[in-house]
Amino acid sequence: MQAVQAERFEDKEHELLTLSEYDVIIVQISGGKDSVACVLHLLERGISPEKIRLWHQEVDGRDRQFMDWPCTRRYLELFAQKFGLKLEFQWRKGGFLSELMKTNAVSAPIMFEHNGAVVALAAGQGAKVATRRRWPAMSASLQTRWCSSSLKIDVSTRVLNNHPELARPGLEILLVTGERREESSARAKYDEVLPHKSNSQRRRVDQWRMVIDWTEREVWAIFERFNLLPHPAYLLGFSRCSCFGCIFNTADLWAMMREIAPERFARLAYIERKIQFTIDNKLTLEEKANKGRLHRLPLDHPDFEKWKHWALSEDALQLEDLSGFVWPAGAMRGADGGSP
Ligand code: SF4
């Protein structure tokens, strides 16, 4: 492994400390290839696993499966176990479905794991009573694309501001995220390093988009170097794995979901009818899936049924399955089906 380099990273006026100077390095990990690549790159640079914390925001919370891939939690637990890393889950109580169906209510509390216990952060005093009953907009704006803000960014920021281990004055925290400029024209303009919004005079919090200039091929290359199995979504031909039912899914991706998990697809279509509001502003989910094709699903591959079982089960994947890189059918298909 490479030694930690004493280099500094500058972006406009902001500069990161040398990596070894941070007290803790938090990686926001979705289970997708880019955030996993960030962790592997830290390990490759010789960062001690004890210094790294993996934080994952569960979009569905703990009550029911609705939007997420069933295997994501399992994949992350095994990944953390394989590399000796500490993993903490965080979520908004009730998850995506509760927030979507919110009627004359404030948003549910934020929950996070700490030392084997679950801590709840209630909605603040100024929390507004509101009715949602609208899918997030397929837009770059986090105001209207409420899933990213309410279920991921707000959750992470509130935990960062209330985590008992992160309150010590003078603490230096690095938050690593996996956006890449290649993915979209909006991301192409992102800064690589910046002070995080929870940075204060009391403690330093820097954000580093560590793989921002990596190509997708470089991302898969680090999986190969570590001989690591990608998240099963990629094996099934999906180019992203954040939410199985992501609002940005293309017609092909909806058709693929309907093919491999018809009951999951039907539940989303049912909610569209129930709230009289469609995810796409022109087509129902059924109409959109009808326009899609299944050519990306590796139906003829001898391991297809095993991969599907891994993807759609909460506990089928085993630790030994993670040791073995497979070039996935979802690789090198661009960023279609992703947020702007
Ligand atoms: S993956 Fe898609 S549906 Fe899930 S939180 Fe992100 S934008 Fe929303």
Side-chain angles (χ1 to χ4, degrees), residues 33-34 37 180 182 213-225 325 327-328 331-334:
K33 62 185 186 313
D34 302 327
R180 286 186 306 112
E182 196 184 62
D213 285 320
W214 285 30
T215 62
E216 186 178 344
R217 199 163 282 284
E218 287 174 295
V219 171
W220 291 121
I222 202 166
F223 274 76
E224 274 189 285
R225 289 202 292 284
F325 176 71
W327 184 257
M332 308 310 293
R333 294 190 180 270

Side-chain angles (χ1 to χ4, degrees), residues 171-242:
L171 208 64
E172 290 173 325
I173 301 168
L174 178 62
L175 190 78
V176 173
T177 56
E179 303 93 333
R180 286 186 306 112
R181 291 197 168 113
E182 196 184 62
E183 290 178 308
S184 73
S185 53
R187 290 178 183 216
K189 300 189 194 96
Y190 284 2
D191 288 336
E192 179 174 349
V193 300
L194 62 159
H196 188 263
K197 60 184 173 184
S198 66
N199 191 39
S200 69
Q201 294 203 322
R202 200 170 52 83
R203 61 169 195 182
R204 176 175 180 143
V205 187
D206 293 333
Q207 181 177 354
W208 183 21
R209 296 182 172 120
M210 176 189 260
V211 294
I212 193 147
D213 285 320
W214 285 30
T215 62
E216 186 178 344
R217 199 163 282 284
E218 287 174 295
V219 171
W220 291 121
I222 202 166
F223 274 76
E224 274 189 285
R225 289 202 292 284
F226 279 81
N227 193 29
L228 178 69
L229 182 84
H231 186 289
Y234 297 111
L235 305 178
L236 295 175
F238 287 74
S239 41
R240 301 178 64 251
C241 86
S242 281

Side-chain angles (χ1 to χ4, degrees), residues 59 67 96 136 145 147-148 152 240 242-243 245-248 339:
V59 291
M67 293 294 270
F96 194 112
R145 194 180 90 218
C147 49
S148 302
K152 291 184 172 178
R240 301 178 64 251
S242 281
C243 283
C246 179
I247 55 168
F248 292 104
S339 54

Side-chain angles (χ1 to χ4, degrees), residues 263-281:
E263 59 307 317
R264 288 287 302 266
F265 179 88
R267 207 178 312 157
L268 295 174
Y270 165 75
I271 295 291
E272 274 198 335
R273 293 191 296 275
K274 184 173 165 109
I275 63 174
Q276 298 277 295
F277 196 94
T278 53
I279 296 176
D280 187 286
N281 60 15

Side-chain angles (χ1 to χ4, degrees), residues 278-298:
T278 53
I279 296 176
D280 187 286
N281 60 15
K282 295 202 181 79
L283 302 170
T284 65
L285 270 190
E286 288 286 357
E287 288 167 342
K288 197 159 178 181
N290 289 344
K291 290 179 178 291
R293 296 175 302 153
L294 299 177
H295 63 293
R296 284 168 60 163
L297 276 179

